[in-house]
Amino acid sequence: MFSSQQRTRNLEVSDTIIKSPRSFLMAALSSLKMASLGIGATSALVNVLALTGSFFMLQVYDRVIPARSLPTLIGLGIIAATLYAFQGILEVVRSMLLVRVGLSVDERFGATVYDSLALFPARVQVHGDGLQPVRDLDVVRTFLSGPGPTALFDIPWMPFYLGLCFLFHIWIGVTALAGALMLVGLTILAERMSREPAKEAAKIVSERMALAEATRRNSEAVLAMGFGHMLGARWDEINSRYLGNHLRLSNVTVTLGTISKILRMMLQSAVLAVGAILVIRQEASGGIMIASSILLSRALAPVELAISQWKSFVAARDSWSRLTRLADLISVDGREVALPKPEKTLKVENLHLAAPGSKNSIVRNISIELQAGDSVGVIGPSASGKSTLARGLVGLWPPVGGAVRLDGAALPQWDPHALGKHIGYLPQDVALFGGTIAENIARFDPDATSDKIIAAAKTAGVYDMILQFPQGFETKIGEQGSALSGGQRQRIALARALYGEPFLIILDEPNSNLDADGELALSRAILSVKARGGIVVVVAHRPSALAAVDKVLVLTNGQMQAFGPKDEVLRRTTQPGPAGPQPVRLIIGGEEMAQ
């Protein structure tokens, strides 16, 4: 899934995209060949019809005025109006096609971007608020749906217009060519001056949004402890860098855009002047003088538009580059064979785990094997690797060594969506989603049945609690479950972990927010899973969570110190209290566990 060949191939594609505006646009349209052909054909017709104004002026000055023929003028006017109407229709069609291209790109990357929000924090070290892929998709879609791509489609027609200028007269062509070269030079200058500020802008925006989101989520702590002004100072510093970068990038675009506009108007006047000289010397007609001025304006308009849209183009190009990397990194090869439901063993073989983006192992050389109906408590002092092991057992953190196997199959061999149905996971930091209690318990499964939801709630011991709410299972819990207490959130999250009777259930500090009734319900839930042949792993810092488990795994400094039957392991790792055998203190790795 993350092979070096994939990364190398994708980086080569991205480098090609960065080097050329046209290659970026063609890459964006590569999977939409019919749309690309349609836009290209429409652009060709639009640029041919754009000659209407020039040739109308040419005919008026060279035919109508000398002949003083009103019928000829009326005929030319009807023809010109018809051609202008067709041009307008084609412009609308091209714009509508580009809007649909933008939507198609969104459809192509939408699922990838959403998957990255869940996958990336467990695979790589994420900087900022982690929402950069969402912003990248918005930027690309907005650019492709706007006027920028039309300029890139029209620029290749510049030689055609310049060639017509040379057909009018050699000096008109030379003047137009000189102006075109100057505008192309401005375009290259815009690229060089805006590339680095654009890259820096993406980083600062991500950092800025991360602080804003963190402040919003932790507003209670900020207000209660009164350190909002300190975060405000940090916000001012980040915002100052953001505004400075925005100003530099805008200055480049505005300055070069204004220069290109003034230069184009000067060139039009220059072509008129050259044409006037040619008319005086009787080397050209008045119609050619006017038509060449209009023709030059049309030839240079796409370049001027491209410069004015350069800020958007650079942002879209960089966003597209990141999206192509993203799609390659999280691509999952299709599984031709669907593995059967696991129902026998969980085997951990020489497991080594490290945090995303780190090479330093937190958990080292863990080897255990559990059979259906087994339950194990993972205990140890703080920072001993308990939660890391939990993440590894459910496949959140891929091993840097060793393997986790269900019925002999390593976790990467499973289809991720199919594997999720066989795993129940209660993380240490409980997070629910905005919606109803029923939706959260059912993991937002649209095909969930009432029987399965109620069964999970009863197994978790929250059925009666849910019925106490005015709307029962249809109660809206708000974002992050804000309408619930910490204990209620944890118990509903436990029901979510039990939904569908998964084979492997990992509970990380499941009793951290529970009262006595909640802990009793937790023990009953563990016993229920064991009775139906599931496997339960309970990560605990409080021995009360171990009441229903049969085995205990002791971790210290990321390594397994003991593993075996609960009573035997606890006997070896406990010491009597100062006043005699009671109370019992659990000493692991020199640290006393809370009771």
Side-chain angles (χ1 to χ4, degrees):
M1 189 164 98
F2 297 96
S3 67
S4 59
Q5 292 180 345
Q6 283 179 318
R7 288 192 177 95
T8 301
R9 181 177 67 254
N10 193 60
L11 290 175
E12 290 174 352
V13 172
S14 299
D15 289 342
T16 302
I17 291 170
I18 288 175
K19 289 178 182 178
S20 167
R22 290 284 295 173
S23 62
F24 154 60
L25 187 60
M26 291 301 103
L29 298 174
S30 61
S31 61
L32 304 166
K33 294 182 179 180
M34 294 304 297
S36 303
L37 293 174
I39 295 173
T42 305
S43 296
L45 292 174
V46 167
N47 280 277
V48 170
L49 291 175
L51 298 173
T52 300
S54 299
F55 283 96
F56 179 75
M57 287 292 182
L58 180 64
Q59 295 301 315
V60 167
Y61 275 88
D62 290 353
R63 290 181 180 274
V64 174
I65 293 179
R68 299 177 181 275
S69 173
L70 288 178
T72 302
L73 179 61
I74 294 173
L76 290 173
I78 293 173
I79 294 174
T82 303
L83 294 177
Y84 280 134
F86 275 111
Q87 182 181 352
I89 293 172
L90 290 173
E91 291 273 12
V92 172
V93 170
R94 180 169 67 170
S95 297
M96 294 173 65
L97 285 173
L98 286 171
V99 170
R100 281 156 178 74
V101 166
L103 296 178
S104 298
V105 169
D106 195 299
E107 292 174 356
R108 172 184 172 184
F109 285 105
T112 299
V113 167
Y114 184 79
D115 288 344
S116 74
L117 300 180
L119 182 62
F120 261 35
R123 293 291 186 266
V124 297
Q125 187 175 5
V126 177
H127 299 283
D129 61 351
L131 298 178
Q132 186 61 46
V134 179
R135 287 191 286 271
D136 286 337
L137 187 58
D138 289 340
V139 167
V140 172
R141 183 186 62 251
T142 301
F143 174 78
L144 291 176
S145 302
T150 62
L152 299 180
F153 271 105
D154 289 343
I155 284 176
W157 286 84
M158 183 185 294
F160 172 70
Y161 291 118
L162 294 178
L164 290 177
C165 290
F166 274 101
L167 288 178
F168 284 159
H169 197 278
I170 183 66
W171 285 112
I172 292 178
V174 169
T175 306
L177 179 61
L181 292 176
M182 285 188 284
L183 285 180
V184 170
L186 284 177
T187 305
I188 296 173
L189 183 62
E191 159 66 8
R192 292 184 176 180
M193 294 180 66
S194 60
R195 175 175 293 183
E196 290 304 321
K199 289 182 178 179
E200 184 66 19
K203 297 178 182 178
I204 298 176
V205 167
S206 181
E207 186 178 354
R208 183 171 179 257
M209 293 304 297
L211 178 58
E213 180 64 14
T215 302
R216 187 185 69 84
R217 291 191 180 277
N218 297 282
S219 59
E220 292 182 357
V222 172
L223 292 175
M225 293 183 282
F227 60 95
H229 64 287
M230 301 177 188
L231 291 176
R234 186 176 180 183
W235 170 266
D236 289 340
E237 186 271 331
I238 296 174
N239 204 48
S240 178
R241 288 191 286 120
Y242 168 76
L243 294 177
N245 181 275
H246 177 75
L247 182 62
R248 288 194 299 273
L249 193 56
S250 296
N251 284 343
V252 170
T253 304
V254 171
T255 301
L256 295 181
T258 302
I259 292 174
S260 66
K261 181 179 180 180
I262 298 301
L263 181 59
R264 183 172 63 85
M265 291 189 294
M266 291 175 62
L267 287 171
Q268 282 188 264
S269 299
V271 167
L272 279 174
V274 171
I277 294 174
L278 295 176
V279 171
I280 292 173
R281 299 176 59 177
Q282 297 185 350
E283 296 181 21
S285 66
I288 289 179
M289 177 184 68
I290 301 299
S292 60
S293 176
I294 298 175
L295 199 61
L296 178 65
S297 176
R298 174 62 190 179
L300 302 183
V303 182
E304 181 184 341
L305 178 60
I307 293 175
S308 66
Q309 294 288 320
W310 203 258
K311 178 181 175 181
S312 299
F313 162 72
V314 171
R317 181 192 58 192
D318 292 343
S319 293
W320 175 265
S321 178
R322 287 189 292 268
L323 286 174
T324 54
R325 287 190 176 99
L326 178 69
D328 192 52
L329 284 174
I330 70 172
S331 61
V332 180
D333 297 332
R335 270 60 169 188
E336 295 183 0
V337 178
L339 296 177
K341 178 181 178 180
E343 54 186 19
K344 296 179 180 179
T345 62
L346 166 67
K347 190 174 183 180
V348 181
E349 301 175 339
N350 300 318
L351 184 64
H352 293 254
L353 295 168
S358 173
K359 297 180 180 179
N360 299 321
S361 294
I362 300 174
V363 168
R364 299 177 293 279
N365 199 30
I366 304 295
S367 295
I368 62 172
E369 184 171 353
L370 300 175
Q371 303 295 326
D374 282 347
S375 59
V376 60
V378 180
I379 60 176
S382 299
S384 60
K386 301 188 298 297
S387 294
T388 297
L389 177 60
R391 296 186 183 101
L393 293 180
V394 298
L396 290 179
W397 287 10
V400 295
V404 177
R405 299 182 181 275
L406 289 175
D407 287 1
L411 295 186
Q413 297 177 15
W414 295 80
D415 178 88
H417 299 292
L419 178 62
K421 296 179 181 179
H422 308 313
I423 289 179
Y425 179 52
L426 175 62
Q428 187 174 14
D429 297 323
V430 176
L432 300 177
F433 293 86
T436 66
I437 291 177
E439 288 174 330
N440 276 272
I441 291 177
R443 308 180 186 185
F444 288 85
D445 180 4
D447 300 323
T449 64
S450 298
D451 291 342
K452 293 175 68 174
I453 295 172
I454 292 174
K458 287 184 175 180
T459 303
V462 295
Y463 179 75
D464 292 332
M465 182 195 79
I466 293 173
L467 293 183
Q468 298 302 313
F469 290 103
Q471 294 178 305
F473 281 89
E474 299 305 315
T475 300
K476 298 283 187 179
I477 63 174
E479 184 182 1
Q480 295 286 314
S482 58
L484 306 175
S485 68
Q488 290 172 330
R489 286 196 295 270
Q490 193 161 42
R491 296 181 69 180
I492 289 175
L494 174 61
R496 180 179 63 186
L498 298 171
Y499 174 77
E501 297 188 345
F503 174 66
L504 174 62
I505 295 178
I506 309 295
L507 309 177
D508 191 355
E509 298 285 357
N511 60 339
S512 59
N513 293 311
L514 299 184
D515 54 15
D517 291 338
E519 290 193 341
L520 180 59
L522 173 64
S523 297
R524 289 174 177 169
I526 295 174
L527 292 173
S528 174
V529 174
K530 291 167 54 181
R532 64 172 174 79
I535 293 177
V536 183
V537 178
V538 181
V539 175
H541 197 70
R542 291 162 54 186
S544 57
L546 307 180
V549 303
D550 302 321
K551 300 178 181 180
V552 169
L553 167 65
V554 180
L555 284 181
T556 303
N557 296 323
Q559 294 182 310
M560 185 171 66
Q561 298 300 310
F563 174 65
K566 179 177 65 173
D567 294 339
E568 179 183 335
V569 172
L570 292 182
R571 190 181 307 116
R572 297 201 310 263
T573 55
T574 57
Q575 296 178 1
Q582 299 295 333
V584 172
R585 295 181 301 153
L586 185 57
I587 308 295
I588 297 175
E591 180 175 323
E592 181 176 344
M593 288 181 63
Q595 287 209 92

